[in-house]
Amino acid sequence: MDKAPQLIQERSAPPATLVIFGASGDLTRRKLIPAVASLARHHRLPREFALVGVARTAMSDEQFADSAINGRGLRDHPQLDGGIRYVSGGYDDPDTYKRLAETLDSLDAERGTAGNRLFYLSTPAEAFEPVINGLAGAGLNHARPGSFARLVIEKPYGRDLATARELDAIVHSSFDEPQVFRIDHYLGKDTVQNVLALRFANSIFQPIWDRSWVDHVQITVAETLGVGTRGGFYESAGAMRDIVQNHVLQVLALALMEPPASFDAEGLRNEKVKLLQAIRLPTDRDIADLAVRGQYTRGGTRDDLMPGYRDEPGVDPLSRTETYAAMRLNVDNWRWAGVPFYVRTGKRLPARVTEVALQFQRPPHLPIPTDQLTELDADALILRIQPDEGISLRFGAKVPGHSFRVRTASMDFSYDKTFREESPEAYERLLLDALLGDPTLFIRTDEVEQCWRIVDPIIEHWAKDHSPIPTYEAASWGPTDADRLIGRSGRKWRNPGGDA
Ligand code: BG6
């Protein structure tokens, strides 16, 4: 077991007030409050810290503290004792922001939160504009000298390139870019950051990380869950906007970009943008060959029968929203020219797994009779983002015995078995970064635009296509079109943890 290096500086938040808009919402309850609780538990919050919830639902400070906080075991944390407030009001009502400003001033005076404010927009996207305008109307977009006012914005950041630009114009009319932290929680996952460690803290991988060694790459974000209670939201998003535009393309950018000179925010984000810019856009003519969508229907087993997407609450019974998307991408640069990148995501697939798998080329010549190689797959390096976090290297090895048979074997690194330290939750890491003012793991405005540039033509093409949406049974690996997509080049999907 490795011991934590003693020299690594512990990171703790400065005095500040975290203001969560959408305080009575699902994300706040499931992710943000537990993240605050965990930061408090790990002593990452100073005594001069306060939390303010803002939402339309009427609630008292005590009720908010009780429902959100005490249930999460925060009661015993002195950092939060007495430092929780709630402001109820409409997002487009200037009075809400007036009362918020008074609350923030009184917290500064009582708790020493030093005028530092982190505004977290965890509302439905329609509320972003009124909240930003409301904050600006009350002067809360400007911090007093020596303090900070920052804005964290949840996805979806627009519905396409045009609306993302409109949102940016609204954001930038009141906040400067360095104040803006666009969140993609995948970047807060340790295993996603480990893509950087693997690639750039080692010398052995860099030489094989290119077109001369890599045959193709598969990036999978598979979920077993359906849309649950989020049908209403999901209907207007779909898999492409919900997962591909952000999580998949972020992981892809980190896995394929050039080495940055340093891991500072701009160095890293510049390289991601350059990579995203090098992704070739599909034309309307080749989209059918390069992108596939699907929607889950009823499936599973007799004991565990899952409803189809159209039967989920909040979903149109004739919905054409995709719950599965797969694409073949090409990156037009020296490192990757000619290498296909297959990405896919879906709800109600047979396994929950996120991974990046680099499959290497077959040896140029095999001095072994082919009948002795039947169980030999191509070499592969698999970065297991979640669950079962780790890395596997798959290669051929001689099967013990008198004959010379070769079969696939694998070397595995597991986070669990190697490190004693626990991974912080993604939201915990990112909240702390935002409180510290470190934008490295947040999305810059030009990255958002590049990502929309890539998915927009496909979403538009699908919107115009009135043929029936391909379907797949719940608990299967997606529509058969997806097998054809990858099969066209003679390759096939890895189906990790599932049927293969
Ligand atoms: C969110 C999507 O961004 O990511 C959800 O809106 C999805 O639909 C979730 O379920 C997946 O996150 P994770 O961390 O569980 O892989």
Side-chain angles (χ1 to χ4, degrees):
M1 293 251 178
D2 290 3
K3 265 192 96 190
Q6 296 304 309
L7 290 176
I8 293 187
Q9 215 184 337
E10 296 292 356
R11 304 162 86 233
S12 295
T17 302
L18 169 63
V19 181
I20 302 180
F21 289 89
S24 50
D26 185 58
L27 183 74
T28 304
R29 187 174 43 80
R30 280 190 309 112
K31 298 289 183 188
L32 302 184
I33 297 295
V36 174
S38 185
L39 286 173
R41 213 169 28 250
H42 292 106
H43 308 288
R44 301 290 153 136
L45 300 179
R47 278 179 177 276
E48 302 80 16
F49 181 83
L51 173 67
V52 179
V54 186
R56 282 175 284 228
T57 316
M59 241 192 284
S60 65
D61 290 344
E62 291 70 32
Q63 281 169 325
F64 175 59
D66 256 17
S67 69
I69 308 293
N70 291 344
R72 303 274 163 185
L74 268 188
R75 199 197 307 261
D76 303 330
H77 289 286
Q79 293 98 320
L80 283 158
D81 201 16
I84 300 172
R85 302 290 147 82
Y86 183 78
V87 175
S88 74
Y91 294 134
D92 46 12
D93 180 357
D95 187 55
T96 307
Y97 302 90
K98 201 170 137 251
R99 285 181 288 118
L100 174 62
E102 286 161 12
T103 306
L104 291 172
D105 286 343
S106 74
L107 284 167
D108 284 343
E110 284 166 36
R111 292 186 69 87
T113 40
N116 290 328
R117 283 107 196 231
L118 184 67
F119 300 108
Y120 198 118
L121 305 195
S122 165
T123 60
E126 308 80 76
F128 291 171
E129 180 171 359
V131 173
I132 290 165
N133 293 340
L135 286 170
L140 290 169
N141 52 333
H142 298 298
R144 56 174 196 244
S147 306
F148 65 77
R150 297 185 189 128
L151 191 66
V152 180
I153 309 187
E154 264 296 333
K155 71 187 218 353
Y157 201 85
R159 289 186 52 72
D160 51 22
L161 180 57
T163 49
R165 284 187 172 148
E166 279 164 31
L167 176 57
D168 244 357
I170 293 160
V171 168
H172 288 149
S173 66
S174 308
F175 291 86
D176 296 328
E177 180 66 16
Q179 294 177 279
V180 184
F181 290 70
R182 297 175 196 79
I183 201 163
D184 179 322
H185 78 280
Y186 264 57
L187 293 181
K189 293 181 192 269
D190 264 339
T191 42
V192 171
Q193 293 158 46
N194 189 45
V195 174
L196 299 174
L198 178 87
R199 293 191 56 199
F200 306 126
N202 299 297
S203 62
I204 57 169
F205 298 109
Q206 206 52 29
I208 57 168
W209 214 268
D210 71 11
R211 63 192 303 275
S212 10
W213 295 90
V214 176
D215 172 76
H216 75 283
V217 177
Q218 294 187 22
I219 298 182
T220 301
V221 177
E223 297 184 272
T224 49
L225 294 177
V227 289
T229 53
R230 297 166 72 229
F233 154 77
Y234 200 83
E235 272 290 86
S236 65
M240 206 65 158
R241 289 190 176 96
D242 189 40
I243 303 273
V244 178
Q245 190 270 346
N246 34 75
H247 307 329
V248 168
L249 290 178
Q250 284 298 325
V251 172
L252 178 122
L254 293 178
L256 306 184
M257 70 185 194
E258 294 301 309
S262 81
F263 278 174
D264 66 56
E266 298 323 315
L268 193 89
R269 298 192 293 181
N270 288 344
E271 293 306 336
K272 280 200 284 168
V273 170
K274 276 196 259 172
L275 188 282
L276 294 166
Q277 279 169 335
I279 294 182
R280 190 189 309 159
L281 290 193
T283 61
D284 222 24
R285 239 176 341 137
D286 43 45
I287 285 181
D289 288 339
L290 297 177
V292 162
R293 61 186 165 154
Q295 189 186 71
Y296 64 83
T297 56
R298 195 153 74 113
T301 58
R302 193 171 285 281
D303 295 334
D304 186 16
L305 200 59
M306 291 168 260
Y309 176 67
R310 291 177 177 189
D311 297 323
E312 302 276 17
V315 172
D316 178 351
L318 296 175
S319 171
R320 298 175 51 77
T321 302
E322 81 284 356
T323 59
Y324 177 100
M327 294 194 288
R328 174 191 158 135
L329 296 171
N330 293 292
V331 177
D332 288 334
N333 66 15
W334 268 57
R335 187 185 288 271
W336 296 119
V339 179
F341 299 93
Y342 294 97
V343 304
R344 64 182 164 163
T345 184
K347 300 233 180 249
R348 285 277 189 239
L349 299 185
R352 174 172 184 257
V353 53
T354 298
E355 63 167 41
V356 179
L358 283 84
Q359 185 156 316
F360 295 98
Q361 291 176 13
R362 300 267 180 184
H365 166 71
L366 272 171
I368 310 165
T370 45
D371 61 342
Q372 292 168 15
L373 300 172
T374 41
E375 292 171 80
L376 184 63
D377 297 324
D379 300 342
L381 182 68
I382 297 135
L383 317 184
R384 301 193 310 269
I385 307 289
Q386 67 185 24
D388 184 22
E389 289 78 2
I391 295 174
S392 310
L393 181 63
R394 205 177 61 180
F395 51 87
K398 182 186 173 301
V399 180
H402 295 295
S403 57
F404 195 89
R405 286 198 301 123
V406 180
R407 196 160 74 199
T408 295
S410 147
M411 258 174 5
D412 287 307
F413 150 70
S414 145
Y415 260 84
D416 255 11
K417 294 193 188 116
T418 308
F419 296 112
R420 212 170 359 164
E421 294 86 345
E422 259 178 55
S423 279
E425 267 289 314
Y427 275 96
E428 184 182 338
R429 160 75 201 240
L430 294 175
L431 259 185
L432 185 56
D433 280 3
L435 285 163
L436 286 163
D438 179 356
T440 312
L441 299 177
F442 292 83
I443 317 290
R444 212 167 56 186
T445 176
D446 48 353
E447 286 180 71
V448 178
E449 295 199 1
Q450 286 304 325
C451 293
W452 282 122
R453 187 189 69 98
I454 296 161
V455 298
D456 268 1
I458 300 167
I459 296 175
E460 280 165 26
H461 179 88
W462 287 345
K464 285 185 294 195
D465 177 357
H466 296 296
S467 53
I469 181 163
T471 56
Y472 59 101
E473 270 182 31
S476 72
W477 275 108
T480 46
D481 283 1
D483 296 325
R484 278 197 284 276
L485 171 88
I486 193 166
R488 229 167 264 131
S489 65
R491 300 176 172 100
K492 50 184 219 190
W493 294 110
R494 291 171 35 76
N495 283 340
D499 62 15

